Amino acid sequence: MADESEQTVQAALAGELRLLEPEVRASPARVLELLDPEFTEIGASGRRWDAESILTVTSAGTVSSESPVNVSDMTGVVLAPGIVHLTYFADHQGRRSWRSSLWRLTETGWRMYFHQGTPTD
């Protein structure tokens, strides 16, 4: 059972890291493959986002290979079958935040259902 939980968490972690890759973020089709149709986010700014509004930001090139998002302390836990909660610390151009996301297993694979960023010093 521990191996199955670890594989489940690793699948969600892989999806999260793909969403941070500049080449994935630049492709609306690739971003949509990783976002749940019911996706919502509460950003570090306090703004509420949905999949459509996220596509506007991600396709604008806010993350590039010259200024990647640096991730540390990423951990995950299976909350229920097909549901994984991830947390990690992100630093993007000096903007530091704790991140939390929920991933759920769908017919098409693991997709991010919810994401939240909380600014930190």
Side-chain angles (χ1 to χ4, degrees), residues 4 17 27 41 47 66 70 79 85 87 98 100 114 117:
E4 185 177 331
L17 292 173
S27 169
E41 175 176 340
R47 180 175 174 188
E66 292 82 34
N70 296 308
L79 296 179
H85 179 227
T87 59
W98 281 105
S100 175
F114 176 78

Side-chain angles (χ1 to χ4, degrees), residues 107-118:
E107 293 177 359
T108 59
W110 285 96
R111 298 176 92 176
M112 183 186 283
Y113 175 76
F114 176 78
H115 187 79
Q116 182 167 356
T118 304

Side-chain angles (χ1 to χ4, degrees), residues 8-21 24-25 30-31 33-35 74 86 88 101 103 109-112:
T8 298
V9 169
Q10 289 302 317
L13 287 169
E16 187 85 37
L17 292 173
R18 278 195 310 273
L19 276 172
L20 296 173
E21 294 173 6
V24 171
R25 294 174 69 87
R30 292 177 74 187
V31 171
E33 287 174 0
L34 294 166
L35 295 183
M74 187 176 270
L86 301 178
Y88 61 97
S101 58
W103 285 78
W110 285 96
R111 298 176 92 176
M112 183 186 283

